[in-house]
Amino acid sequence: MMSADNSPIKPSKSFNEIEIVEDFENQDTLLKHVDISIVESEKRANGTLHVRDHYTVYLIDLKVNDPEYKLVQSKISTIWRRYTEFEQIHDYLQVKYPHVVIPPLPEKRVLYAWRKSDTTDPEFIERRRAGLENFLLRVASHPRLCFDDQFINFLQQEHGWRETITDSGYLLLAENKLKSLSVSIRLKKPDPEIESVKNYGKQLETNLGNFLYTRSKIIEKNYALCKLHADYGKLFSEWSVIEKEMGDGLQKAGHYFDSIADSIDAMAEDEEQLADQLKEYLFYAGALQHLCTNHEALQRNLEIAHDTLNNRIAERNRAAAGKSGLMSRLFGTTEPDIVRDQSTRALDTKLLADRQAIDTAHAQLQEFTKKATAEIEFFQKQKDRDLHESLVSFITLQVKAAKKNLQAWTQIKECIQNMPA
């Protein structure tokens, strides 16, 4: 398997040199050379008849559109993947690239539903298919993520991929990180920019969550209201049968009432797709906060390294004064010179290691901050563009639906007015 280093198409800059948004846009990505789509889904059984023992797989279709590109194994390939495998590659990327705002997966369970639904519903499975495809496209267009060997293998390696990614050791790293992140981190001097980004992520998550909740309540009421117009349609149609002069007008009006009831289905489906776009950024907000937490962990490591050095210096000073031993501290006696010299030499060695630990922690934090800053700017630009488009489409859809209903009511009014008096 070829990696990004021996790919025939070289990035314009090293990944470590990606410092501004323009650097991202100038990078080579996998998506510039291949087409990726999820063309279908299929329900399979675990071997029992219980409905919960069924699972869904998704067919990834990969086509190379650049004849000179050699990174992928074949020009056309297809492979089935379960949602749990998508979770694996997502978790792997999250561990491997802690400074990246990792593209999120679509919801595992139905969120902000406005009518009864579960993960076995064909509509939910289709929307998840679209969300998983979007995840692949996001990763394939990200210059840091797209050439990762495990991601390339995910798209092509039919057998043994689970074992390969497990052998990468990401699970142990994820477990260790989970333990470190489970401890509440209180920094002495939090980075104000990272704090600002983290707070923004929380507010974005709250605002989008509230928007989706409100939207679910409104579409639930609106759907029920529109469907009730079918009662008007039935009433007017039945009424038209007993009326000679007004019959045609009543029947036409009934058809327009039926059109109001029927139109809500397509509108609700379109709105659901737009809601999924907003859900993506609801989950993106969590990924943004995760990046900030990773930064805090590195900053905490640096603070711990400084504390260790300061404590060691104090210990060395006590040793130099002959006050480091238990007896000297209890009774105020001074240790012999030979003991004092041995203690100070041993502590000098540890001080050297402590200073090296600080240099290492500082370099790691600096490198992380440089990469994360570029990632955050890249995400913000993408988020502004996508949310603007989604919100405009959402409002346009509401206006279109309102105009359509107004037109139907106008036609109903004309039908009634044109009836003989």
Side-chain angles (χ1 to χ4, degrees):
M1 176 62 61
M2 299 179 70
S3 64
D5 294 333
N6 54 21
S7 168
I9 308 290
K10 294 296 182 182
S12 56
K13 297 183 74 174
S14 166
F15 292 152
N16 290 329
E17 296 176 355
I18 300 178
E19 298 179 2
I20 57 177
V21 173
E22 287 71 20
D23 292 337
F24 274 96
E25 296 171 346
N26 295 331
Q27 284 287 314
D28 181 47
T29 64
L30 181 64
L31 201 57
K32 293 180 180 179
H33 309 285
V34 302
D35 294 325
I36 301 174
S37 60
I38 298 182
V39 293
E40 63 177 296
S41 60
E42 181 180 289
K43 185 178 290 187
R44 295 180 180 176
N46 282 327
T48 66
L49 298 178
H50 195 277
V51 66
R52 293 298 179 185
D53 290 327
H54 287 74
Y55 63 91
T56 305
V57 289
Y58 302 88
L59 185 62
I60 301 174
D61 184 76
L62 181 69
K63 292 186 178 70
V64 179
N65 54 39
D66 181 353
E68 303 299 322
Y69 201 60
K70 307 297 182 184
L71 182 60
V72 295
Q73 293 174 342
S74 58
K75 298 301 179 186
I76 301 176
S77 65
T78 57
I79 189 168
W80 292 97
R81 292 290 187 202
R82 294 182 63 173
Y83 184 86
T84 53
E85 292 177 298
F86 278 90
E87 287 183 308
Q88 277 189 287
I89 189 62
H90 173 270
D91 293 347
Y92 162 82
L93 293 173
Q94 198 170 52
V95 172
K96 180 76 177 292
Y97 303 93
H99 53 275
V100 175
V101 186
I102 302 296
L105 293 173
E107 59 200 309
K108 188 170 186 175
R109 298 285 181 266
V110 182
L111 298 177
Y112 301 104
W114 56 275
R115 57 184 172 185
K116 189 176 181 180
S117 177
D118 61 32
T119 56
T120 63
D121 288 344
E123 290 181 6
F124 177 80
I125 291 174
E126 169 56 25
R127 287 179 18 243
R128 180 191 273 181
R129 181 208 62 78
L132 292 174
E133 179 179 285
N134 186 61
F135 166 76
L136 294 180
L137 296 176
R138 294 283 196 197
V139 176
S141 61
H142 192 289
R144 290 194 198 276
L145 305 177
C146 66
F147 294 117
D148 184 275
D149 284 343
Q150 294 298 340
F151 178 65
I152 299 295
N153 290 343
F154 178 82
L155 297 174
Q156 300 181 100
Q157 186 177 335
E158 185 171 2
H159 302 292
W161 178 80
R162 283 178 177 266
E163 291 74 17
T164 300
I165 195 171
T166 300
D167 291 343
S168 69
Y170 89 97
L171 287 174
L172 180 60
L173 290 173
E175 184 179 350
N176 292 336
K177 179 173 289 188
L178 185 63
K179 289 180 180 178
S180 64
L181 295 180
S182 63
V183 179
S184 180
I185 298 176
R186 290 190 177 183
L187 299 173
K188 296 178 181 178
K189 293 183 179 180
D191 186 315
E193 292 187 6
I194 294 297
E195 280 289 293
S196 176
V197 171
K198 188 175 183 179
N199 289 333
Y200 171 77
K202 292 178 180 178
Q203 293 169 358
L204 178 63
E205 190 173 36
T206 298
N207 290 334
L208 286 175
N210 290 338
F211 183 96
L212 289 165
Y213 174 79
T214 303
R215 172 258 166 191
S216 69
K217 294 302 179 183
I218 291 177
I219 186 63
E220 179 183 11
K221 300 294 185 183
N222 194 26
Y223 188 88
L225 178 62
C226 287
K227 286 301 181 182
L228 280 174
H229 285 70
D231 293 343
Y232 275 138
K234 180 181 179 181
L235 169 65
F236 275 58
S237 294
E238 292 175 350
W239 190 358
S240 68
V241 175
I242 64 172
E243 298 288 350
K244 293 182 179 180
E245 300 296 332
M246 299 191 304
D248 288 343
L250 291 172
Q251 188 175 45
K252 288 180 181 178
H255 290 322
Y256 287 125
F257 279 122
D258 288 337
S259 71
I260 294 176
D262 295 337
S263 66
I264 190 62
D265 291 297
M267 188 267 187
E269 182 178 347
D270 291 342
E271 189 176 303
E272 203 70 36
Q273 294 176 6
L274 292 171
D276 286 340
Q277 295 175 17
L278 297 176
K279 285 179 185 178
E280 181 188 20
Y281 277 93
L282 175 74
F283 305 141
Y284 252 130
L288 186 64
Q289 294 173 67
H290 186 81
L291 180 151
C292 294
T293 302
N294 291 334
H295 182 280
E296 290 174 347
L298 288 176
Q299 190 174 349
R300 179 57 181 155
N301 290 342
L302 180 58
E303 290 185 356
I304 291 174
H306 276 291
D307 290 342
T308 301
L309 176 63
N310 292 333
N311 292 334
R312 196 89 68 190
I313 290 173
E315 185 180 356
R316 204 271 185 200
N317 291 337
R318 289 194 300 271
K323 302 290 186 180
S324 62
L326 178 60
M327 297 300 292
S328 63
R329 284 181 301 203
L330 288 176
F331 302 106
T333 59
T334 303
E335 296 170 340
D337 290 345
I338 186 171
V339 175
R340 187 184 312 173
D341 291 342
Q342 289 175 346
S343 298
T344 54
R345 282 197 298 270
L347 289 169
D348 284 340
T349 301
K350 293 180 179 180
L351 283 170
L352 179 61
D354 292 340
R355 291 189 174 94
Q356 290 174 344
I358 288 177
D359 291 340
T360 299
H362 184 267
Q364 290 175 344
L365 180 60
Q366 221 173 15
E367 182 69 14
F368 184 99
T369 302
K370 182 176 70 173
K371 292 179 179 179
T373 299
E375 291 285 345
I376 291 169
E377 291 178 0
F378 177 70
F379 165 76
Q380 292 282 14
K381 184 174 182 180
Q382 170 191 292
K383 179 263 304 175
D384 290 346
R385 180 182 64 248
D386 290 349
L387 284 184
H388 175 269
E389 181 179 338
S390 296
L391 290 173
V392 168
S393 297
F394 183 85
I395 295 170
T396 301
L397 181 63
Q398 309 306 315
V399 172
K400 180 181 177 182
K403 286 183 176 179
K404 193 170 185 178
N405 286 343
L406 178 61
Q407 182 182 17
W409 274 105
T410 301
Q411 290 167 328
I412 291 170
K413 177 184 175 182
E414 293 175 354
C415 289
I416 302 301
Q417 286 180 330
N418 291 335
M419 289 191 305

